[in-house]
Amino acid sequence: MTAEIQPVRGMNDVLPAEIPAWQHFEAVTRGLLDSYGYEEIRVPLLEQTQLFQRAIGEHTDVVGKEMYTFTDRGGESLTLRPEATAGVVRALISNGLLRGQRHKLWCLGPMFRHEAPQAGRYRQFWQVDVEAVGFAGPDADAELIAMSARLWQRLGIAAAVSLEVNSLGTPESRRAYRAKLVEHFAGHASRLDADSRRRLAGNPLRILDSKNPDMQELIRTAPRLTEHLDTESRAHFEGLCRMLDEVGVAYRINPRLVRGLDYYTRTVFEWTTAASSAQNAVCSGGRYDGLIAQLGGEPTPAVGFAMGVERLVALVVAAARSPPAARPDVFVVVSGPRAAAAALPIVERLRSERPQLRLELNLGGGNFKAQFRRADRSGARLALIIGDDELARGVLAMKPLREESGQSECPVGSVAAGVDAALAALASR
Ligand code: ATP
Ligand code: MG
């Protein structure tokens, strides 16, 4: 036998049994985004490597060690997108859509990061990305967060998630804070772990994000960013917190929340779940007022977030909120050579007359008993029987599959009306 081809590590198939939960999540999310006036945008999975280097920052884990980067046949360095914001911003610039315009956009699709695969952490994973471009005030941040809170309610998972917020200030106030932070950590260099020592030079704020228990004491005593904010960032943050209070979205201010991408300014936030201990972030975002100019667009403030679809779908399933798999309404059983020839045209005509009907035609023959077994397994409520004996009399037979009641018949010429009546009789019982 030829050797089986293995899937790529950390890349999952979403199987038909899991699809109802995914589609439910997507439909609820689409409906909500639409009601807030967000429009869908689809951007390529591949971008120039430089885009992510410039947007996300060389010293981040994502760019430093997680990107799928390769040289294509034309000799260009391309990267499979590790996140969506950079591509969406690039698309706005490339298509000349900025020009002082505002955009509320969302994008759904797979992202790619070469991480250590484990439950809830994959190398290909799906995100819903939401961006509000051209909005400077904290009202945009507050509305985005309120919208995400509403989404958890609609999905029935509000009890499983909680919100943390912080402000990273402006690049200037962050530079001043960064110096204070380096001073603090460098003063205790011997107590830093290897990761933190590496970050001290490139990205000292990320040390605050360390999960190493041995680092926590040093992190706890570090100067706090919230105490070093510039006046405007402070006002922005206070405005956001006040609006969240007013709409009743509960949050915790976490002065150590820094996020893993370099482009954030002012607001950052993260929804986490206590339901899984390790991979607990389900939705993360923040403001990126400098990014668009940094990528060559006209300076435009913006704020957005990304949700991890696998982690959210898992919460929806755990809350038993995912809908059951779809079943056919009618299973069509075929018996005899004349019926075999007549079945497809009859069923196709019925599909034209009743486009909403979920019809499954028995394909590939089989005896009567085997076909009824399939019909039972399909979960359909009604069997439509196309048989030679019935055709000779100009009729079709119908038999309820999930209850003990008698068979009925209808003329071949009025099968749609016959099926309507039989289904209506079942529904009324
Ligand atoms: P984490 O702290 O879990 O590494 P992150 O800070 O890297 O998350 P973001 O880059 O902000 O995450 O991405 C937004 C969301 O995408 C996360 O909140 C999470 O739900 C999801 N996500 C990120 N990385 C993965 C992954 N490797 N597998 C599955 N979901 C992921
Ligand atoms: Mg990560």
Side-chain angles (χ1 to χ4, degrees):
M1 225 170 68
T2 343
E4 215 180 284
I5 295 181
Q6 298 300 313
V8 178
R9 216 162 102 75
M11 305 208 175
N12 300 314
D13 306 302
V14 183
L15 299 176
E18 304 166 87
I19 289 292
W22 280 67
Q23 288 186 343
H24 171 69
F25 169 81
E26 288 174 22
V28 172
T29 304
R30 268 173 214 275
L32 182 76
L33 287 163
D34 180 60
S35 75
Y36 275 78
Y38 282 79
E39 298 175 298
E40 184 174 1
I41 181 170
R42 302 188 186 189
V43 296
L45 268 60
L46 277 175
E47 296 278 358
Q48 308 271 359
T49 301
Q50 232 192 72
L51 172 67
F52 302 115
Q53 288 170 337
R54 272 169 57 184
I56 300 172
E58 297 279 0
H59 295 291
T60 58
D61 285 353
V62 172
V63 172
K65 48 187 195 193
E66 294 173 0
M67 293 206 305
Y68 279 91
T69 297
F70 65 96
T71 308
D72 81 347
R73 289 165 197 271
E76 272 186 305
S77 179
L78 302 181
T79 294
L80 276 166
R81 64 183 185 192
E83 58 101 59
T85 306
V88 169
V89 166
R90 199 267 316 129
L92 290 174
I93 299 172
S94 311
N95 293 285
L97 294 174
L98 289 169
R99 306 209 175 95
Q101 299 291 309
R102 299 161 145 202
H103 297 279
K104 297 202 289 186
L105 302 169
W106 67 273
C107 174
L108 163 72
M111 307 296 153
F112 303 84
R113 296 183 194 175
H114 197 276
E115 304 201 61
Q118 50 199 291
R121 186 172 296 284
Y122 311 109
R123 290 182 173 177
Q124 175 179 312
F125 59 96
W126 287 66
Q127 281 185 345
V128 173
D129 182 65
V130 183
E131 312 288 357
V133 176
F135 302 86
D139 53 345
D141 314 25
E143 195 196 53
L144 265 180
I145 293 174
M147 180 172 74
S148 59
R150 190 176 297 282
L151 180 60
W152 316 144
Q153 257 154 22
R154 291 205 184 165
L155 290 169
I157 59 170
V161 295
S162 57
L163 173 66
E164 291 187 348
V165 297
N166 190 22
S167 176
L168 299 181
T170 60
E172 296 73 43
S173 67
R174 196 147 78 234
R175 247 193 305 282
Y177 170 69
R178 192 187 141 123
K180 292 216 164 55
L181 206 58
V182 170
E183 197 180 310
H184 169 77
F185 286 123
H188 302 87
S190 60
R191 288 165 62 194
L192 293 176
D193 63 9
D195 261 351
S196 303
R197 227 167 288 143
R198 184 170 50 78
R199 285 170 174 156
L200 188 59
N203 196 352
L205 263 70
R206 281 295 279 175
I207 300 177
L208 299 176
D209 202 28
S210 166
K211 306 281 186 299
N212 182 349
D214 297 339
M215 289 289 304
Q216 296 313 308
E217 173 63 15
L218 209 52
I219 290 170
R220 207 176 46 74
T221 54
R224 293 190 164 189
L225 183 49
T226 22
E227 287 153 15
H228 293 84
L229 287 183
D230 55 286
T231 323
E232 276 182 47
S233 295
R234 187 183 302 281
H236 188 104
F237 191 53
E238 285 167 0
L240 168 63
C241 292
R242 196 182 55 244
M243 288 179 227
L244 291 177
D245 292 335
E246 281 163 0
V247 293
V249 173
Y251 59 91
R252 189 173 81 85
I253 296 174
N254 175 0
R256 292 195 295 254
L257 181 67
V258 292
R259 310 285 301 106
L261 315 173
D262 271 0
Y263 50 61
Y264 288 114
T265 52
R266 295 198 171 147
T267 310
V268 288
F269 62 93
E270 187 157 84
W271 287 94
T272 56
T273 175
S276 82
S277 55
Q279 282 18 287
N280 59 5
V282 294
C283 172
S284 338
R287 186 161 271 289
Y288 52 95
D289 291 342
L291 178 64
I292 296 176
Q294 192 187 312
L295 292 177
E298 61 189 74
T300 310
V303 56
F305 65 74
M307 309 184 242
V309 178
E310 284 86 351
R311 295 180 193 180
L312 284 165
V313 166
L315 290 184
V316 170
V317 170
R321 286 308 190 97
S322 69
R327 295 151 178 271
D329 300 306
V330 180
F331 190 99
V332 184
V333 168
V334 185
S335 160
R338 220 186 118 201
L344 190 63
I346 292 173
V347 171
E348 285 297 311
R349 205 179 65 230
L350 180 53
R351 289 187 201 279
S352 301
E353 290 173 7
R354 294 291 181 271
Q356 305 302 327
L357 204 59
R358 311 188 72 249
L359 269 172
E360 190 169 335
L361 169 62
N362 182 76
L363 297 173
N367 65 34
F368 214 54
K369 216 170 133 196
Q371 291 191 47
F372 263 97
R373 255 201 315 275
R374 278 180 207 144
D376 280 332
R377 241 184 288 130
S378 77
R381 287 181 297 152
L382 186 73
L384 174 67
I385 304 159
I386 306 179
D388 280 5
D389 295 348
E390 287 85 355
L391 284 180
R393 291 189 285 116
V395 299
L396 302 173
M398 285 164 297
K399 186 178 177 346
L401 285 164
R402 286 192 271 154
E403 52 193 81
E404 292 300 322
S405 60
Q407 204 158 305
S408 58
E409 292 184 346
C410 71
V412 180
S414 54
V415 56
V419 166
D420 287 348
L423 287 173
L426 289 179
S428 71
R429 262 189 210 122

